[in-house]
Amino acid sequence: MTIGVIVGIIAARSGDLGMGLLMAAPLFGLCALIGVLTGELTVRPPRGPTRTAAVEVRRIRDYLPRHLSRVVAAGGGVLLVLVIATTSAGAPDDMGHPGRSLARQCTFDTFESDGPWPGLFYTGRLVAVVLVGLLMAYVAVRTIVRRPRPDGTSDLAVDDALRERAARVVTGAVGVLIAIPLAGVSLTAAGGLLGISCAPMWWTVMGWGLLALAPASLAMVGWCVAAVLAPTDRTDLLARTR
C-alpha cells in the first residue's frame, strides 16, 4: 500500500495535460493487487513425508465480499459505457491531441468547442491500465482460492478467513482502480457538455446526471479504500478457532 501511495503521488505530479492525475489512482490499485498476489505466492505449501489435505471444492465467489463485488462490477459497467460514449464523441483539440475536445456545430458557419474532454487522448491509456488491473485481479483471486493450505493450519476456518481478507483487498483495489477514474471522467464530461452554449437539451440533462454520478463514485472510493486498509478482524479469527 505504501508503494502504491508513492507511485500514485509521483504519477500525479508527472504527465502532461492532466494525464498524471488520471493515472494516479489506477496505478495505486495495481500496486495493491501486486502486493496481494505476492503475499499469496509466498504462502508455503505443506512439506514433509506426511501431509494432509482437505477434500473440498473452493470457488472464487465463496470468498469475494458479496455487496462490494456487486458495486464494483456495476461501477465497472458504468465506466465502460461512459468511456465508449466519450471516446466516440471526442474531437481533436487545437494542439492536435485526438479526442481531447468536444465540438458542436451551432449554425451553418459557426461551431463551439470545449475541453478538456475525456476522449481517446485520455481513455486509451486508462482502458489499458484498467484491463491490466482486471487481469491481475483475476490472477490474484484465482491464486487466493487455489493455493494449498499452509503448514500448521489446524483450523480450516482461520485459513478461509485469511483468504476472505485477501479477496476483499483485491476487490477494494479494483474498486479504487475503477471509481476514481469514473469520478474524473464524469466531472470532465459534465463540464464539456454544460460548457457548450448551443448544446441540445439532452446534453444538459446528461451533464447534470454526470455531475450527480461523481459523488456516488467518491462514496464508492471511500468504501473500497476502507476494504483495502481495514485490518484483519482478530475477533473473528478467534471466534473461528473455537
Side-chain angles (χ1 to χ4, degrees), residues 23 30 122-134:
M23 302 301 294
L30 287 180
Y122 296 107
T123 58
R125 278 174 269 191
L126 174 63
V127 168
V129 173
V130 171
L131 288 178
V132 171
L134 293 177

Side-chain angles (χ1 to χ4, degrees), residues 25 27 37 68 73:
L27 290 175
L37 183 58
L68 182 59

Side-chain angles (χ1 to χ4, degrees), residues 186 189-191 193-194 201-213:
S186 300
L193 292 171
L194 298 175
M201 179 58 67
W202 72 270
W203 279 27
T204 303
V205 173
M206 185 65 67
W208 285 108
L210 291 175
L211 283 178
L213 180 62

Side-chain angles (χ1 to χ4, degrees), residues 10-24 91-101 115-126 184-185 188:
I10 294 174
R13 296 185 174 213
S14 60
D16 57 344
L17 303 175
M19 182 63 71
L21 288 173
L22 180 67
M23 302 301 294
D93 63 3
D94 54 0
M95 295 180 288
H97 298 118
R100 196 172 173 269
S101 177
W117 175 258
L120 184 61
F121 179 76
Y122 296 107
T123 58
R125 278 174 269 191
L126 174 63
V185 172
T188 308

Side-chain angles (χ1 to χ4, degrees), residues 93-161:
D93 63 3
D94 54 0
M95 295 180 288
H97 298 118
R100 196 172 173 269
S101 177
L102 177 66
R104 167 75 178 174
Q105 186 83 30
C106 296
T107 63
F108 179 76
D109 57 352
T110 62
F111 73 95
E112 290 186 21
S113 64
D114 191 272
W117 175 258
L120 184 61
F121 179 76
Y122 296 107
T123 58
R125 278 174 269 191
L126 174 63
V127 168
V129 173
V130 171
L131 288 178
V132 171
L134 293 177
L135 178 60
M136 289 180 57
Y138 173 75
V139 173
V141 174
R142 184 177 173 86
T143 303
I144 291 169
V145 174
R146 294 176 63 89
R147 70 164 171 79
R149 301 287 185 181
D151 290 328
T153 300
S154 58
D155 196 329
L156 301 183
V158 175
D159 185 51
D160 284 336

